Amino acid sequence: MVQRDDTGRRRTLATDQAWAALGGDPGLTERISYAGPPGLLAARLPAMDLARATVAACALAAAELAAGRDGGPLRSVRVDDGAVATAFVSERHLRIDGHAASTFAPLSRFWRASDGWLRTHANYPHHRARLLRALGLPDTAEPADVEAVIAGRRADEVEDAVYAAGGLAIAARTPEEWSAHPQGAAVARHPLLTREPLGAAAPPRAVPARAGDPVLPAAGLRVLDLTRVIAGPVATRTLALLGADVLRIDAPQLPESQDAHNDTGFGKRSTALDLGSPGGRASFEALLAEADVVVTGYRPGALDRFGLAPEALAERRPGLVVAQLSAWGDDGPWGGRRGFDSVVQVATGIAAIEADGAGTPGALPAQALDHGTGYLLAAAVLRALTEQSRTGGSHLATLALARTARWLVHDLGNETEPPAHEGTTLPAPSPGYDPDRYLGEADSPVGRLRHALPPVAFDGGPVNWTTPPGRCGSDAPVWR
C-alpha cells in the first residue's frame, strides 16, 4: 500500500519490511524518495510493491556502505517505478544486433493433467531430456506428444516422476494447498531472509583501497559468482554495478545460456572451472584466498562435495561474506530440489491467484521472484559488508524464491487494497511510461546490445555498468 507523508514522498510498507528483514536502521528509509509512472507490473498480487521495495532496499544498502567507507553522510536514494519495472523484465527488452533473446523453450509451459494443471521447466537441454525420459517419450518428441501423456495422468504423479528423473515439473496448487504442504509449512517457519554470523570470529578486514570513482561502494571488493539463470546473476550484476570485481564461475560441462548471460553478465567476467579436477580446484582456492564475497545459487548441499559449504569457505577464508540462494529453502522435503521462478509461482499459489476467468493458471507480469530475490540478495551482501566493517567476523545470508513468494502472497498481499479492476481486466500502464527511457545500448563481444538500465540509484551513484557481458567462460580465472 503506497502511503504519502507530509513531504509528498511515497513510502511503502513493503520497503519497511524488506529493510527490517535486512537488519537495517529503520530511520534510514527516510532517505528514500519515489517517482515514476503508475500502473506498472499490474497484477492481482502487488508485484510492483515487491519490485519497488527490493530495489529501494538494495539502493539504500549501497548508500549505507558508501557512507561507511567514505565517512560522509548517507546519500539520498531515488526509486523510479519506470526503471524498476523495466529492469524486472530486462530479459524481454534484451536485443542482440536487433534480435530478441530466447526465453522459454517449447516444453516450458503449463499442461492440463487429468486432475488439474502442471508446469514444466525445460529450458536447459539436460532438463528437457530428463522430462521426456520421465514421460517415456523419445528425445524427438513434440509438445503434442507431451500434452497427450500428461493429459492422462495426475499432476502430482507427473511431478514425482519428473523429479525422480532429475527434471522439473510442478503441480499447480492454491495458496491454501501450499500452506498445508510439508514444504510450504517449512518455508513458513522462516523469515523473508536470514543473516547470521558464520564460523569462528574474525577481526574486521581492511577493505582494499578503492580506485576510480569514490562513490562506488563496492569498489575494491572481489566477488566469486557461482550462480545461474536470473536471481543470483541479478545480485552479482548489481554488485558489479557498484564497483565490485565479479568473476562468474561455471562448470565446463554445464555451460550457461549465452542469451541469459547477455542479460545478467554486465560488469562481470566469466570463467569455466572444473572444480572436480585438481587444476580447477587449485585455481578456485587461489581465487578464494583473495575473495571478499562468495555468492552461490545451486541446490542446498550441491556444492558441499567441492568444499564450498559456507562453514568450510569461512574456515579457509576468515572474514568472508557468503550469500546462498535456493528455490525452496534449505530444509523441508523439497529443500534439496531444483527450482526456478516459474515453477515456484505455480507451487506457492501465485499462478492460481493470477488465473484467468476460465481458471487457467496465470503468472506475474515479470519473473518477480527471481528479480526481487536478486536485489534482496545483493542488499544482504552489502549490509553484511557494512556490519563486518564494524564488528568483523564472517557472515552468511540465506534467501529462497519460495520465501519471497510467501512474503508476496501472505504479507504484501494481505496489506494491500483489493485490485480495483473487475474480472480478468488489469489496469493499463500509465500512458506516461516509455520503456525506451530506461534502456541503453552497448557494443559487446557478441554484438550490439540493447538492454535495461540498472534501477539501483542514489545521489552520485553509477548510472550504468562499465563493461558489457562477454562470452561465457572466456576469461582467465584470475582477479583483476
Side-chain angles (χ1 to χ4, degrees):
M1 177 183 297
V2 175
Q3 301 170 324
R4 292 186 180 274
D5 61 22
D6 56 7
T7 66
R9 295 174 180 155
R10 293 190 297 175
R11 299 183 61 199
T12 65
L13 177 63
T15 301
D16 293 339
Q17 291 177 347
W19 189 243
L22 290 161
D25 177 353
L28 299 186
T29 59
E30 298 291 340
R31 303 295 293 170
I32 305 173
S33 63
Y34 301 90
L40 305 182
L41 300 185
R44 290 174 178 79
L45 287 166
M48 191 65 221
D49 284 1
L50 179 149
R52 182 191 302 114
T54 55
V55 169
C58 185
L60 186 58
E64 180 190 35
L65 180 60
R69 295 188 70 180
D70 290 338
L74 184 75
R75 295 174 174 86
S76 296
V77 169
R78 303 180 311 281
V79 180
D80 184 323
D81 278 9
V84 172
T86 304
F88 263 61
V89 289
S90 60
E91 64 275 11
R92 301 181 201 171
H93 287 293
L94 183 69
R95 297 291 182 273
I96 305 105
D97 290 331
H99 301 288
S102 62
T103 52
F104 284 100
L107 299 188
S108 295
R109 49 167 274 195
F110 284 107
W111 310 88
R112 183 73 176 175
S114 64
D115 61 342
W117 290 91
L118 180 92
R119 179 142 191 168
T120 55
H121 191 288
N123 286 0
Y124 287 108
H126 58 290
H127 289 159
R128 180 184 187 277
R130 293 166 184 173
L131 169 66
L132 294 176
R133 184 167 65 249
L135 297 177
L137 293 171
D139 288 344
T140 56
E142 298 292 334
D145 303 316
V146 175
E147 184 174 35
V149 171
I150 292 177
R153 299 174 66 176
R154 297 194 322 271
D156 61 349
E157 177 190 345
V158 176
E159 178 183 274
D160 290 341
V162 174
Y163 168 68
L168 290 107
I170 295 292
R173 293 172 171 84
T174 65
E176 294 75 20
E177 289 169 336
W178 178 244
S179 294
H181 189 279
Q183 189 59 37
V187 170
R189 290 194 292 268
H190 295 279
L192 172 59
L193 61 92
T194 57
R195 291 182 47 250
E196 57 191 303
L198 179 62
R205 181 184 297 167
V207 178
R210 297 188 293 163
D213 192 332
V215 303
L216 292 179
L221 296 169
R222 290 169 167 171
V223 178
L224 288 175
D225 175 4
L226 289 85
T227 68
R228 294 175 68 78
V229 196
I230 296 179
V234 163
T236 51
R237 179 181 72 181
T238 302
L239 296 175
L241 170 75
L242 298 170
D245 181 7
V246 177
L247 182 62
R248 173 170 172 149
I249 298 176
D250 285 287
Q253 65 271 26
L254 195 65
E256 178 61 287
S257 156
Q258 183 63 49
D259 277 352
H261 187 62
N262 291 340
D263 177 45
T264 60
F266 283 89
K268 310 178 194 177
R269 292 176 300 121
S270 167
T271 194
L273 283 181
D274 181 358
L275 298 182
S277 71
R281 184 62 178 271
S283 293
F284 180 84
E285 292 302 320
L287 291 166
L288 178 63
E290 299 184 72
D292 301 289
V293 178
V294 175
V295 184
T296 67
Y298 290 77
R299 290 175 294 121
L303 299 176
D304 291 4
R305 68 185 187 277
F306 302 117
L308 301 184
E311 296 78 9
L313 289 168
E315 183 177 352
R316 302 201 300 282
R317 178 61 168 160
L320 192 69
V321 172
V322 180
Q324 281 193 314
L325 167 73
S326 65
W328 308 105
D330 51 10
D331 63 352
W334 288 11
R337 289 195 180 190
R338 299 172 178 85
F340 298 95
D341 181 304
S342 58
V343 294
V344 174
Q345 287 193 38
V346 172
T348 58
I350 292 173
I353 293 172
E354 299 293 338
D356 65 17
T360 303
L364 297 172
Q367 293 192 70
L369 304 182
D370 261 335
H371 286 270
T373 307
Y375 289 110
L376 286 176
L377 185 64
V381 169
L382 296 167
R383 288 244 59 249
L385 290 166
T386 292
E387 295 194 2
Q388 184 190 61
S389 69
R390 300 167 181 166
T391 63
S394 301
H395 294 254
L396 172 64
T398 307
L399 296 89
L401 300 183
R403 296 189 196 177
T404 304
R406 179 173 176 80
W407 179 47
L408 174 63
V409 173
H410 293 279
D411 295 326
L412 302 184
N414 286 341
E415 294 291 348
T416 53
E417 296 176 358
H421 60 277
E422 297 293 335
T424 61
T425 303
L426 295 170
S430 165
Y433 172 58
D434 178 7
D436 287 346
R437 287 185 53 200
Y438 308 104
L439 300 176
E441 294 195 355
D443 288 317
S444 80
V446 300
R448 182 74 174 173
L449 300 182
R450 188 191 75 171
H451 63 93
L453 294 170
V456 173
F458 54 94
D459 285 352
V463 297
N464 204 348
W465 292 274
T466 56
T467 59
R471 295 192 179 277
C472 289
S474 62
D475 294 298
V478 296
W479 294 116
R480 285 195 178 102

